[in-house]
Amino acid sequence: MSHYKNQEFDFVDRTKLIIEQYDKLELAEAEKFEVTLLLNCLIGLLILPQQYWFDSLPTDLVSQKDWGINSNHISTIKEETKNVKDVARHLRNSISHYRFRAFENKSNNISSIKFEDYDPSNNKTFEAIIPISSIRQFTTKLTNTFAIEMEKQK
């Protein structure tokens, strides 16, 4: 038996493909779970590959144009700046500790997710309400960022 050498690389590549392939599926409205799939992909990207590439995430400020997350989506953050690395860490903590809630629009479709993070003393360190389209853009950009880091290590 041999060690699977490209596990972390394949995980990122396959996650990106899963997101892209979902748009091509023809499903009945009652069988569409795009938000669940998107959150599962985000969970995987924020938790699993972080051991390899999380430290290389940019410290640029999040922006709607580049990352899909507008600084106005974030109402609370412990850090002085709303940079990509810190926002990703708080999203990771929020999801890992199941501190997120979905909000529905008038059509009963999930339109946004509220993420919260707390320190060990239970003080809120992060709160953001992010539209689904922004979460998707952030997840795609995160995947692409990790892919670039993977190429550097090959």
Side-chain angles (χ1 to χ4, degrees):
M1 190 179 301
S2 66
H3 177 70
Y4 181 27
K5 296 178 183 166
N6 293 318
Q7 180 174 319
E8 59 278 356
F9 295 91
D10 287 347
F11 182 85
V12 171
D13 285 338
R14 291 174 183 174
T15 299
K16 183 178 179 181
L17 288 173
I18 288 169
I19 294 169
E20 292 169 355
Q21 290 170 348
Y22 188 81
D23 288 336
K24 296 174 186 174
L25 293 176
E26 294 184 22
L27 300 169
E29 193 63 36
E31 296 174 348
K32 289 186 178 180
F33 304 113
E34 178 184 9
V35 175
T36 302
L37 175 73
L38 187 58
L39 285 176
N40 278 316
C41 290
L42 182 59
I43 289 166
L45 290 169
L46 290 173
I47 295 172
L48 299 179
Q50 87 150 7
Q51 300 301 317
Y52 293 92
W53 306 296
F54 199 78
D55 286 337
S56 61
L57 281 176
T59 54
D60 303 339
L61 297 179
V62 292
S63 68
Q64 184 75 42
K65 179 183 174 194
D66 293 328
W67 287 88
I69 297 177
N70 187 314
S71 64
N72 293 337
H73 295 149
I74 303 167
S75 59
T76 303
I77 189 164
K78 182 179 176 182
E79 292 76 17
E80 296 280 330
T81 62
K82 298 174 182 177
N83 71 54
V84 173
K85 189 173 183 178
D86 289 333
V87 169
R89 181 176 47 79
H90 283 297
L91 290 174
R92 179 210 171 278
N93 293 346
S94 174
I95 293 169
S96 296
H97 298 286
Y98 207 84
R99 293 182 176 146
F100 63 92
R101 293 283 176 254
F103 290 97
E104 295 178 338
N105 59 21
K106 293 178 182 176
S107 303
N108 293 328
N109 294 321
I110 297 173
S111 59
S112 60
I113 305 285
K114 179 180 181 180
F115 298 92
E116 294 179 318
D117 188 18
Y118 294 85
D119 68 16
S121 300
N122 210 31
N123 297 310
K124 188 182 291 187
T125 59
F126 182 79
E127 180 176 300
I129 299 176
I130 306 173
I132 296 304
S133 61
S134 296
I135 294 170
R136 184 182 181 115
Q137 184 177 341
F138 182 84
T139 304
T140 300
K141 178 74 172 186
L142 188 64
T143 305
N144 292 335
T145 301
F146 285 151
I148 291 167
E149 288 303 314
M150 291 183 325
E151 285 301 315
K152 290 178 185 177
Q153 293 183 18
K154 283 186 177 180

